[in-house]
Structures are given as C-alpha cells and as structure tokens.
Amino acid sequence: MAIENVHRAGMPGLFAEVRDGDRVWRGAAGVADVATGRPVTAGMRHRVGSITKTFTAAAVLQLAEAGRIGLDTPVGRYLPELVPGARGDAITVRMLINHTSGLAEYLPYAYPSLKALPVLADTSPESLDDNRFTQFDPVDLIEMGVTAPAVGAPAGTPGVYSNTNYLLLGRLLEQVTGTTAERYITRNIIERAGLRDTELPAGPYVSGPHSQLYEAWFGMIDPPRDYSVYDMSWTGPSASLISTVADLNRFYRLLLAGQIVSPSSLAQMQLTVPVVSHEGRTIDYGLGLYPMEDPGQGTFWGNGGTTWGAGALAMIRADGERQMAVAVNMQRWNRLDSSGKPQPHPIDDALATLYRVAMYG
C-alpha cells in the first residue's frame, strides 16, 4: 500500500483522498501524536500552507472579472505607500500573483535565525520557537520584503517565489473591498464553495480533530518538535489556511469546472511562467496554480504547501475526473550533507510513488 510505505519510510502520519470520476478513496497511515500513538484519520483538519495561494489568487480574479481590479494595473496605483515610486509603477497585480515581481522573500528578515537562507547550513530553528505566539503586522512584513534587495526585475523570468507578493495581494483585497482579505476570501471563496472544514484562522489553534505537526528543520530539531499551536500571522493570505483533504478536492473540482472563477479567468490562472521555488528548483507557475505531468499521463493542476510541521499537495487532472489531496504531519526531514545540501531520504521516494499511484492509478 503506497500510503503505508510513506509512514514506514519515516513519516509519523499522513492521510489522503483520491477521486476517480464518482469513486472516492480515503485513507490514512501512522499517528497524529507520536507520544500517545493516537492514529491519524482521513477527516482531520490540517494546515495546508501555500495551497492558500490558490484561494487568494481566485479572490483577486473574481474582483478582476467584476472590473474592480486590473490584472495588468500597476500595484502602485492601489498601494502607493507599500510599493512606492518606480517599482510601484513597474510591478503589476499579475506579477504579484505569478511571482515575477522581483520582490524579495520577507521570511529571513522576520525570522532572524533564518537570515542565511537559502544557505541552510547557516540557519538555525530557534526563531521558529521565538515566534510561536508573535502577532506580526502584515505591513511590517511587506516592508521587509520591499526594502530588501530585489531578487529580479519586474516581469523578469524566471521569477522568484516570494510570500511578500501574496501579503501584498491580501492588502490589495482589503483596499478594494473595504473588508479584511480573510473575511473576503471566507465569504466569496470558502463559503461559496461549500467548504465546511476550511478556514483562515484568527488564533494559533487548529480547531476540531487534527494532528500534531512535527518540524525537523533539516535534522536540527531532533526529535522533531510539535508546532501545531502556532500564530499564522507571519504568513496570512499566503499560507495560513486550515482545511481537509475532502474540502481541498472539492475546491479544486469546482475551480476547474469554472464555478469559482469564470472559464476565462481559469485560463489566465493556467498561463505559466518559470519561477524559482524556495527549494531552488525552477517550476512552471501560473496564477496561484502549477501543473504536474508525467509523459503520456495528462496534466494535473493544483498547488502544494508547507508550514512549520505540516505539508499538503492537492492536484486535479485537467478534465476534472481524477484528483488527489495528500496531507503529511512532518516537514524538512532531509538532513544536510557535509556540503550543506539536503540528503535524499526514503520518505522522498515513498511520497513520489504515492503521488504517482494517486494521480495515474
């Protein structure tokens, strides 16, 4: 069983929902709590990291359809105080959504022990602990990213993945709608899609049945530490969403069916550019979505995400017939080798096999 093999390879717990037409399979393997042995179940609520970005992007696209936001309008026209001057004129809303703005990632500035990123060997996990209950102001975080040295020119490719872009989109939603990004996304995306177990949390807790979330930070936290209680204001509309595998599958099914945004907006979301991920890999990234494909197997669309201790991946085939959502309760399990590079781990291959089986049968 592919899901059991990921647990055997060292993942404390994971759960998934796979859909093929009208057939639905849900499964789980391992534990939600390594101390008590409490098992994970497929219905648990989970922090899903950057999958949040698809929700935020869809909210912006809805407003673009209504003529209230221009995708190719300079962001300086909406938020001149946050992206001032020539940069505000050069960076468009679309560049924020597809990570081609050239704006730096704020995280190494907000978390001092991560300042050396992307040089992992020179980081330490101590600021993860320090900031467990910190309430960050998004304007402060945006300022860190905007004043940091640019990572590229606006519209330059490859783009560079940066959460600063999505915090700005959160402020843009607020500016245009007069309500918080969280409230707007909840009302117009989450509730409209009928997602009963999905929320943008206000506090540090995951409500309802959920797993502990174990962060290893490349072997520097040993044994891995539980970060399930964590204030997510450090990432907001970029990566704070809580959901279930069933809700994620429902969301992407409705999205690809043209029921969250219009078919023409969906087509915009599926226009990709090369973007360098946080891991240093170049991926094709659209507007809050990216494709996964194996030769001869058709294209899947969706998003993946990680936060401290938690990870998830949700993908749906372009025809909407086959889809999967997988959630795992440990992150950054790869230890670093002597040159500071993450070493391969059995979990990597086991997860890749699970994704292949789930997507292609």
Side-chain angles (χ1 to χ4, degrees):
M1 196 70 164
I3 195 166
E4 284 287 349
N5 288 340
V6 182
H7 171 54
R8 281 195 204 109
M11 178 62 63
L14 70 158
F15 45 102
E17 180 186 87
V18 177
R19 303 181 71 99
D20 192 3
D22 295 332
R23 292 183 308 159
V24 182
W25 176 88
R26 288 189 192 102
V31 297
D33 186 329
V34 296
T36 66
R38 173 171 63 94
V40 280
T41 63
M44 284 182 159
R45 304 176 88 229
H46 196 70
R47 298 196 190 277
V48 299
S50 285
I51 289 174
T52 312
K53 291 182 171 70
T54 314
F55 287 68
T56 301
V60 173
L61 279 144
Q62 282 183 356
L63 290 165
E65 286 168 23
R68 297 174 69 189
I69 289 176
L71 289 182
D72 298 305
T73 301
V75 70
R77 218 168 283 171
Y78 300 106
L79 302 166
E81 68 296 344
L82 293 180
V83 193
R87 265 168 124 189
D89 295 338
I91 295 169
T92 65
V93 173
R94 186 189 300 271
M95 291 172 207
L96 297 176
I97 310 178
N98 69 10
H99 299 290
T100 57
S101 69
L103 293 170
E105 174 63 64
Y106 63 81
L107 188 59
Y109 302 92
Y111 279 68
S113 72
L114 306 185
K115 191 163 226 94
L117 284 174
V119 184
L120 296 172
D122 294 343
T123 65
S124 89
E126 78 188 280
S127 40
L128 276 62
D129 267 351
D130 295 343
N131 286 313
R132 191 187 281 268
F133 295 107
T134 302
Q135 278 209 301
F136 285 101
D137 180 338
V139 173
D140 294 342
L141 297 174
I142 289 166
E143 192 182 346
M144 292 172 192
V146 171
T147 56
V151 291
T157 52
V160 178
Y161 195 95
S162 168
N163 287 299
T164 306
N165 294 314
Y166 275 74
L167 292 195
L168 277 162
L169 292 170
R171 302 307 285 186
L172 172 65
L173 288 171
E174 192 163 314
Q175 176 77 25
V176 170
T177 66
T179 184
T180 65
E182 285 77 8
R183 205 165 300 144
Y184 185 83
I185 293 166
T186 299
R187 204 174 311 147
N188 292 279
I189 307 288
I190 295 171
E191 289 174 2
R192 196 181 288 180
L195 309 180
R196 296 207 182 90
D197 287 305
T198 300
E199 65 169 333
L200 289 158
Y205 298 97
V206 181
S207 59
H210 63 279
S211 173
Q212 313 308 107
L213 304 173
Y214 297 102
E215 180 59 54
W217 196 259
F218 306 102
M220 295 180 215
I221 308 178
D222 190 15
R225 193 170 302 140
D226 170 28
Y227 283 128
S228 55
V229 176
Y230 210 97
D231 187 298
M232 297 302 287
S233 59
W234 66 277
T235 187
S238 175
S240 68
L241 197 74
I242 292 167
S243 192
T244 61
V245 287
D247 267 8
L248 291 177
N249 275 341
R250 178 178 172 84
F251 168 71
Y252 282 105
R253 201 156 59 248
L254 292 171
L255 182 68
L256 258 74
Q259 293 179 37
I260 306 257
V261 299
S262 70
S264 64
S265 290
L266 179 64
Q268 296 278 326
M269 293 180 84
Q270 293 173 313
L271 290 174
T272 65
V273 291
V275 168
V276 179
S277 73
H278 277 163
E279 294 75 41
R281 288 180 302 122
T282 300
I283 58 172
D284 292 318
Y285 197 92
L287 301 185
L289 282 179
Y290 62 81
M292 282 175 76
E293 47 208 327
D294 266 10
Q297 296 282 10
T299 303
F300 280 69
W301 289 93
N303 211 326
T306 74
T307 178
W308 311 135
L313 179 67
M315 285 281 156
I316 180 166
R317 201 165 63 203
D319 64 6
E321 283 298 296
R322 178 102 184 184
Q323 64 179 147
M324 68 151 189
V326 179
V328 299
N329 66 3
M330 182 172 71
Q331 278 305 303
R332 286 160 283 272
W333 52 80
N334 305 83
R335 291 173 178 267
L336 304 180
D337 63 20
S338 54
S339 69
K341 292 246 180 348
Q343 292 175 298
H345 189 288
I347 289 174
D348 305 328
D349 286 342
L351 261 182
T353 301
L354 171 62
Y355 296 151
R356 245 191 334 270
V357 170
M359 289 197 288
Y360 310 122

